[in-house]
Structures are given as structure tokens and as C-alpha cells.
Amino acid sequence: MAFLKYSLIRLALFAPLFALFVYLQLGWLLAVLCAGMMAFAISYLFFQKQRDAAAATLHQRFSGKAKPLRSAGEVADADAEDRLVDEHPDITVHKASRPSRPKDS
């Protein structure tokens, strides 16, 4: 959520600056570059807390310690397994395991 919030702040800075530079007839490419650089500078100087929170969120997500994201199909499968086990206590579900592969020398 912190990353989304910081991205929206940067977009909210970029959009009016871009509109201003287009209004000043700088040309599309120069307007994009100037608005992008100014939005970056303003967000870097004045939104440090939000930037740090966004960076921490990304670090946590990609560090390998985060919970894996599950697709809707995986959630539905897990729910079906849970219902099956609840309805039939004599059935056991074993975790699928891959056969071990020999290491290449």
C-alpha cells in the first residue's frame, strides 16, 4: 500500500506539471522530461517518509521473506481440499512432492 501511495503522490505531482509545460508550449518530449524531473525532485525532497515506506515495502516483498501470493485458482483448490477433509475425516491429503533429482557433477 505504501508503494501505491507514493506512486500516486508522484503521479499527482507529474500530471499538473506536465499540463503546465504543455500549456507553455515546450513540446511533448521536453514537457515529459521536465515534469518528470521536477516531480522526482519534489518527491525526493518533501516526501522522504513515504519514499522510505515504499522502499521498505518493496524490500520486504522481494527479500524472500514475504508470504507467497496465491492465485484465485489456488485459493479455490485449497478451499475444496479443506471442505473434502472436513466432510470426510478418514481421507488424508498428502502434499505433492517432486521426485528428487540427482545433482549434476
Side-chain angles (χ1 to χ4, degrees):
M1 188 67 172
F3 181 76
L4 178 63
K5 183 188 244 182
Y6 184 64
S7 298
L8 289 175
I9 289 171
R10 298 228 6 217
L11 181 63
L13 290 170
F14 176 82
L17 288 170
F18 175 72
L20 173 71
F21 292 134
V22 168
Y23 177 74
L24 294 174
Q25 297 177 352
L26 289 181
W28 290 97
L29 182 60
L30 193 56
V32 166
L33 291 174
C34 290
M37 289 187 323
M38 289 189 71
F40 167 76
I42 292 168
S43 65
Y44 185 80
L45 293 173
F46 298 110
F47 297 104
Q48 180 179 359
K49 185 172 73 170
Q50 290 85 355
R51 183 180 70 247
D52 290 344
T57 302
L58 285 176
H59 180 269
Q60 194 269 338
R61 180 78 230 150
F62 292 108
S63 68
K65 298 176 184 174
K67 288 175 43 178
L69 299 175
R70 293 173 33 169
S71 69
E74 291 172 329
V75 171
D77 287 346
D79 290 341
E81 278 183 4
D82 292 343
R83 277 193 309 277
L84 179 67
V85 169
D86 290 342
E87 292 170 2
H88 306 284
D90 56 324
I91 296 176
T92 58
V93 178
H94 299 285
K95 180 180 176 184
S97 61
R98 295 182 185 174
S100 61
R101 295 188 327 192
K103 294 183 180 181
D104 294 333
S105 342

